[in-house]
Amino acid sequence: MMTKHFGKSGNVSELVSSLSWLEEDGSSQDGDESPEMRSHDHGLVLGGRIRSCGELGSEDMEEEEEEEEDDEEEVERNGENGPKRRGPKKKKMTKARQERFRARRIKANARERSRMHGLNNALDNLRRVMPCYSKTQKLSKIETLRLARNYIWALSEVLENGQSTESHGFVEMLCKGLSQPTSNLVAGCLQLGPTPLILNKLEDKCGGQGMGDAVAGHPLSYPSPGLPSPPYGSLETSHLLHMKGFKASVYDNPSPNDCSSGTPSYDGPLTPPLSISSNFALKQEPSPHESERNYTPHPGHHAHYLSAHHFPSSTAGSLPGGAQAHPIFQASRYEVPLDVVFESFTPSHLVTSQMGTI
DNA sequence: TAGGCCATCTGGTCCT
DNA sequence: AGGACCAGATGGCCTA
């Protein structure tokens, strides 16, 4: 990371002097600064480039030189014959003023970093309550926000219209407007029942009501006003997870720590009132792929999402790009009708941890 | 190599 | 005056 900015500065003395930050505690908590950050705060390399003092407002000049400089500046401000510019004359940048400016800038930079870290922490917290969460493969910021919007939207439909979380439409809403890769991730994460047959049964079960109808049709195509361009806003049926019948009825709220290992505490409840993705427990032997990716089942109520190509090909349910979807189960969170579960998967996929609850 | 994503710095604006 | 917030600019990293 040190080379990040110094690579282009090419100033050895600056580099050496800034390396002194490495001698100190390099912890980078909120408010703390990484060595890289601190190098900036020394006013050496700014924004990936060396900034001359002139860029900061005025050259490093002696007091006696200022009169001259100001005259030149006045000419520059007014042009050859231009009208005199109104407003306060630019204040002289004495050394003392420069130092104050620099100190203020350093403080402001630190605050800004801290603010952005706080924002990122909040985004992480948001990621944790999303239907898909993985420490190893985070949703991008924009996709996190999109998914959050969709999640709220979908849950609202559940509450207001009795839309079933089992329905195809629920998942479609979740994926609406997401980029294709993210849709694939969400779909893969929530992939529960691979066959269209099951899907059809689900549709029947839901009576064809609710939002699922609004987006019914194959392949599915979502107009995404306001979204930049494809791949945003399109989704094919084969990309979707296939929700299986379950009722998110049991909701034993774990300790908030369940979802925040090694992360800043989160004040609000981490567990959403309803999570369509968390109703199945992954009890399969981890595939080599998953091991490689350091995939570990989330201890809380949130399912993980995995890149589609992480799914073992032995499982049914194709994802775009030749990837295979893999049913992800989550541990002991909700009561799930086992018949429904077994309807979807071979027994080898399943290990029930508790009677009637997986 | 282009494009996406990200962290950071920076200057401007608004508010206290 | 100083802090919060914002948007633009910049460069690094990663991936297709």
Side-chain angles (χ1 to χ4, degrees):
Chain A
M1 289 299 278
M2 286 298 295
T3 60
K4 182 176 178 180
H5 295 294
F6 288 117
K8 301 205 175 183
S9 72
N11 189 320
V12 177
S13 63
E14 291 169 357
L15 173 60
V16 170
S17 67
S18 60
L19 281 175
S20 64
W21 290 109
L22 289 173
E23 309 278 325
E24 301 175 19
D25 180 13
S27 64
S28 182
Q29 300 294 328
D30 256 3
D32 282 341
E33 297 155 5
S34 67
E36 176 194 354
M37 297 168 181
R38 288 175 173 179
S39 70
H40 292 300
D41 286 352
H42 271 187
L44 302 174
V45 183
L46 304 173
R49 61 208 179 276
I50 299 178
R51 296 226 170 184
S52 69
C53 293
E55 287 180 276
L56 298 174
S58 169
E59 190 49 63
D60 183 7
M61 50 196 171
E62 300 297 336
E63 295 281 352
E64 57 267 24
E65 295 172 351
E66 287 174 2
E67 289 295 329
E68 233 178 286
E69 299 271 344
D70 286 348
D71 290 343
E72 290 172 5
E73 184 187 349
E74 190 69 24
V75 170
E76 193 176 325
R77 276 157 54 96
N78 299 329
E80 286 296 330
N81 300 314
K84 278 209 164 190
R85 187 186 288 184
R86 300 187 179 195
K89 194 176 174 182
K90 206 172 181 180
K91 285 190 175 180
K92 298 174 183 176
M93 200 57 129
T94 64
K95 268 188 173 178
R97 190 184 302 279
Q98 268 188 39
E99 286 173 9
R100 283 198 301 274
F101 180 90
R102 189 66 223 148
R104 214 165 52 231
R105 199 55 256 173
I106 289 170
K107 281 178 68 179
N109 290 346
R111 282 196 307 271
E112 178 67 8
R113 279 196 303 272
S114 176
R115 195 181 69 86
M116 294 310 295
H117 290 166
L119 189 60
N120 289 337
N121 286 342
L123 260 173
D124 275 340
N125 288 333
L126 184 58
R127 286 187 183 101
R128 290 190 196 103
V129 297
M130 287 297 102
C132 296
Y133 171 69
S134 169
K135 277 185 178 178
T136 56
Q137 195 170 357
K138 295 198 307 185
L139 286 175
S140 71
K141 292 179 176 179
I142 184 67
E143 293 293 85
T144 298
L145 293 176
R146 285 184 179 132
L147 182 57
R149 173 202 59 188
N150 291 353
Y151 197 30
I152 293 170
W153 178 29
L155 291 177
S156 297
E157 287 295 321
V158 169
L159 293 175
E160 292 174 13
N161 302 331
Q163 166 72 34
S164 171
T165 58
E166 308 158 13
S167 71
H168 194 182
F170 188 90
V171 185
E172 289 169 355
M173 291 188 80
L174 276 184
C175 293
K176 200 165 187 175
L178 298 182
S179 69
Q180 191 68 67
T182 305
S183 293
N184 295 344
L185 290 178
V186 174
C189 169
L190 303 179
Q191 180 88 24
L192 296 175
T195 67
L197 175 64
I198 295 174
L199 245 187
N200 294 338
K201 287 177 68 175
L202 257 180
E203 293 290 316
D204 294 340
K205 218 169 163 182
C206 299
Q209 62 178 356
M211 55 194 153
D213 288 342
V215 286
H218 308 281
L220 297 169
S221 180
Y222 303 111
S224 301
L227 291 172
S229 62
Y232 295 106
S234 68
L235 186 65
E236 294 182 9
T237 308
S238 60
H239 304 168
L240 298 175
L241 67 137
H242 310 293
M243 297 299 295
K244 279 306 302 176
F246 60 77
K247 288 291 181 184
S249 55
V250 173
Y251 178 72
D252 55 276
N253 197 10
S255 80
N257 292 334
D258 285 354
C259 303
S260 58
S261 57
T263 59
S265 63
Y266 173 56
D267 292 335
L270 278 174
T271 314
L274 188 60
S275 175
I276 64 165
S277 61
S278 6
N279 300 287
F280 299 90
L282 178 60
K283 294 294 185 179
Q284 236 181 341
E285 288 298 317
S287 72
H289 302 286
E290 288 164 356
S291 299
E292 287 167 10
R293 301 287 295 191
N294 196 26
Y295 170 75
T296 53
H298 196 50
H301 60 287
H302 306 108
H304 299 254
Y305 66 86
L306 295 175
S307 178
H309 59 270
H310 298 143
F311 297 139
S313 58
S314 59
T315 56
S318 295
L319 289 173
Q324 297 295 313
H326 176 62
I328 303 297
F329 297 99
Q330 192 73 38
S332 302
R333 300 296 308 157
Y334 299 95
E335 286 181 351
V336 180
L338 290 181
D339 58 329
V340 172
V341 175
F342 280 98
E343 188 178 64
S344 306
F345 305 105
T346 61
S348 63
H349 283 122
L350 301 167
V351 177
T352 56
S353 58
Q354 297 173 23
M355 178 73 79
T357 302
I358 63 172

